[in-house]
Amino acid sequence: MGKLTSEIITSLGLESYLMSEGNLPLSSPIDGESLGYVEETSQADAHEMISKAKAAFLKWRVVPAPLRGEHLRLLGEELRTCKEELGYLISLESGKILEEGRGEVQEIIDICGFALGLSRQLYGLTMTSERPGHRMMETWHPLGPVAVISPFNFPAAIWGWNFVLAILCGNPVIWKPSEKTLLTAIACAHLFEKVISKFENAPPHLLQLALGGREISDVFLENHDIPLVSATGSCGMGHYVAQQVSNRLGRYLLELGGNNGMILAPSAHLELAVRAVTFSALGTAGQRCTTLRRLIIHRSIYDQVIPRLKSIFENVKIGNPLESGILMGPLINKEAYEHMQESLKLAQEQGGKIHGGTRVLKEKYTKGYYVKPALVEMPSQTSIVKTETFAPILYVMTYDDFTEALQMHNDVPQGLSSSIFTQDTAEAEIFMSASGSDCGIVNVNIGPSGAEIGGAFGGEKETGGGRVSGTDTWRAFMRRATNTINYSGELPLAQGIHFDVS
Ligand code: UN1
């Protein structure tokens, strides 16, 4: 382990968690370097965690929400003091560049601030009653222990969006992070523990880490004492989670794959559009659920845009994501690289003209999978274009007519994020209207990735329909009660029904 890495592990207080042997190996995608081992959670321990979370729930649910918010404010403060270190650890384990690692920590800081404000605004409605001397209202209550299943690509922020809201809403969390980014998860849990241990009114086990694979998730998917499972990851994983949790009529919140498109209209500000495409397609080495994967360009500007994109894709700085100036780090592992190559082969068979996409730096990093991003000119939106490949592949297609572009844009199974670059107000409005983009995120003159925490985040169709992060997504983490209060001294029934014994 490098000197800086071991210093950061020490400053985050993580040495005691690392073992020289264990059944879950930790490594960095940068060069395959081993970071040690941690112990897998057993099924028996996972069941025990549920009992502990239930006990914590009974205490935490009665702590006033503004006080719960105050705990989260302090988590935000703690994160500010170690933004650099945690950002580094995220980059080391997920392979994203440092700038993005830091950005991820910032997302959690932001959601902590959001939660503090929200802690005094968990509002319910009051309704007018049809009965005299009656009042009706809605109240929102804590739901119970929440299981959070999170992916490798945002190893801290996705936990943050879910955890912070769950805790704010009065629910303990059991977190099953990706097996590829366990150290980041341990660091986040350790930070929270540091903050929460200062509060007398906070019960133990508000956050428990369940480390392992599907067998561990299964314990939470099947258990009635987990009223909500929030899972972020692939559509395949989401299908499985939905089926398992539905079997017991539990609740699930899914934020799954995207196959995000951008329409580039003839009036587009091309300077900005090219920059937006660059960040959205190449950021996080194409491994965001919001990554731009389909560019639908008006035929009249195709020849102005493609040579510029080719040059950017060819020259983008690829390398160790911890070094300054680098814009693209490695893919998460060999499987991701192989999957990318298989998709490119299919694209070629389906008439695609591929630029880039090959492995680079393999002499320097024999165990790191660095690739040139692929720009693929497609004759039409074929089956491979409709499939999400979690890698830096941008499929490019042309259109002549705006209606055709919209139709092509929506003709994929996923529905997470979308964007249009246009100066034509009518086109922009149509794109955002009922007959426009069918995604959960619909942007004008910015790319599909890089959402702020203030908005609800998630999408439709195979993206799973769930929303996390801003606005009213907190409601998914609470139990709604409709209250009717009678102060009339009579007992009138609704709908004018008479039901008298005498
Ligand atoms: C993801 O890749 O699962 O909007 C989340 C974005 C980030 C979140 C991505 N704020 O690109």
Side-chain angles (χ1 to χ4, degrees), residues 107 151 153-154 157-158 161 232-233 255-256 279 284 287-291 390 416-417 441 448-453 457:
E107 282 199 57
N153 68 329
F154 276 78
I158 289 175
W161 305 332
T232 305
E255 198 265 283
L256 309 172
F279 173 66
T284 331
Q287 300 169 107
R288 283 191 190 216
C289 57
T290 49
T291 291
F390 219 56
L416 178 57
S417 189
I441 299 170
S449 68
E452 301 178 21
I453 63 98
F457 184 88

